[in-house]
Amino acid sequence: MLLVLKSTDEEHGREAARIVANAVRRNPALRLGLATGSTTLGMYNELGRLHKQNALDFSRVVTFNLDEYLGLPPEHAQSFHHFMHQNFFSNVNVDPKNIHIPDGAIVGNYDQYCCSYEQAIRDAGGIDLQVLGIGRNGHIGFNEPTSSLGSRTRLKVLSKETIDDNRKFFGPGEKIPECAITMGIGTILEAKRILLLASGSSKAAAIANAIEGPLTASVTASALQLHPDVTFIVDQEAGSQLKQKDYYHRVLEMTVALTPDRL
Ligand code: GLP
């Protein structure tokens, strides 16, 4: 596990974008797993800039988003489809036929639909690099506390905490989604490399529990302890409850010196 601590939002986004951009340069047909949320915005802005100013080419990149609210059509302002088009796809040259985002507008046959999403990931050859955010309750994707650590893409009922966190994005009287379609923990763990981004003090407990706490379905991000290649990029506030920061710092220094390709 690598932990990179950054002080400003700008540095945080730039570091995440640098890792994604390097992965795209090494493999122009990268299979890239993507996340939504305010924490990812700096990374998406920087990737847009690298595309325009440094000709970073996404034309062969294949993307798979983690999740989508059930019941929101793609054009809904709060859908993850809308978020992705607004903040990333409209600024880079990913071929629309290579974009995969779970369809929140489906009705019925959910298992069949979720199996087809898993099959699309398999058909593409699996995910090379998966970007994640983290919820206040330690969720990744929409894998709420008590999700099976072996779970696959499925319909998931959102926790009260997540629904409350999302309330601010919806207008008064507007119905807030109570379910989502999300890749499972088992799906996420099959990605070759994982990059988790966290910022702000509201994520401090989730980050400490995920990295230094026990492996538990109560904090689904703790399942990343099972993965051999995870990089956390956190700001000072999100990292404030970590106990072994000096050790992570030394690991990073040694990695730069001995195995810089890991970065
Ligand atoms: C939602 C998404 C998660 C994301 C989380 C954090 O719950 N399903 O994938 O990590 O939001 O969002 P933010 O970065 O806005 O705190």
Side-chain angles (χ1 to χ4, degrees):
M1 187 277 292
L2 290 174
L3 181 108
V4 183
L5 262 177
K6 291 288 169 193
S7 354
T8 65
D9 271 1
E10 213 187 336
E11 283 179 49
H12 187 269
R14 259 208 314 263
E15 178 64 9
R18 191 189 63 76
I19 290 175
V20 174
N22 277 350
V24 172
R25 287 189 195 104
R26 280 180 199 141
N27 175 10
L30 189 81
R31 281 92 29 127
L32 179 60
L34 293 172
T36 53
S38 50
T39 318
T40 59
L41 286 173
M43 176 190 74
Y44 288 132
N45 282 341
E46 176 66 5
L47 287 173
R49 193 190 68 76
L50 289 173
H51 169 66
K52 290 193 180 84
Q53 293 177 12
N54 295 18
L56 181 62
D57 181 18
F58 289 88
S59 60
R60 292 173 57 208
V61 169
V62 180
T63 68
F64 289 93
N65 264 78
L66 278 171
D67 48 13
E68 178 59 286
Y69 290 116
L70 188 72
L72 295 195
E75 58 281 4
H76 191 286
Q78 297 311 327
S79 74
F80 290 167
H81 276 76
H82 186 264
F83 176 100
M84 291 306 301
H85 284 280
Q86 180 102 332
N87 296 302
F88 185 52
F89 295 131
S90 59
N91 298 324
V92 293
N93 64 334
V94 179
D95 185 334
K97 75 172 186 323
N98 289 342
I99 296 174
H100 304 83
I101 307 177
D103 181 0
I106 54 156
V107 180
N109 284 332
Y110 301 112
D111 286 353
Q112 199 186 333
Y113 176 76
C114 293
C115 281
S116 73
Y117 199 72
E118 290 271 332
Q119 190 58 46
I121 296 173
R122 271 195 297 274
D123 290 348
I127 292 173
D128 298 303
L129 174 64
Q130 175 68 56
V131 177
L132 299 173
I134 188 167
R136 245 183 343 126
N137 60 10
H139 73 208
I140 47 178
F142 269 132
N143 292 286
E144 298 288 32
T146 73
S147 289
S148 158
L149 300 185
S151 51
R152 312 299 309 188
T153 302
R154 69 208 182 292
L155 194 60
K156 189 73 199 160
V157 176
L158 301 181
S159 69
K160 171 111 182 12
E161 196 173 16
T162 299
I163 294 171
D164 288 345
D165 282 350
N166 293 334
R167 202 172 296 280
K168 58 180 177 292
F169 300 117
F170 290 82
E174 204 176 352
K175 197 170 164 346
I176 304 167
E178 291 193 37
C179 294
I181 292 173
T182 182
M183 280 187 206
I185 300 294
T187 323
I188 292 169
L189 289 178
E190 278 172 13
K192 290 196 190 88
R193 182 176 182 191
I194 292 176
L195 185 62
L196 186 146
L197 316 181
S199 60
S201 54
S202 66
K203 305 292 173 67
I207 284 295
N209 289 333
I211 296 177
E212 295 176 345
L215 173 63
T216 169
S218 299
V219 179
T220 55
S222 69
L224 300 178
Q225 294 172 20
L226 294 168
H227 195 282
D229 194 357
V230 184
T231 303
F232 288 84
I233 304 182
V234 304
D235 70 359
Q236 302 291 346
E237 285 100 39
S240 61
Q241 291 184 28
L242 288 167
K243 295 195 180 76
Q244 303 201 51
K245 263 185 274 189
D246 289 348
Y247 177 67
Y248 308 136
H249 186 65
R250 284 178 46 232
V251 170
L252 198 61
E253 279 181 349
M254 298 287 182
T255 304
V256 171
L258 300 174
T259 51
D261 279 359
R262 281 199 65 203
L263 293 160

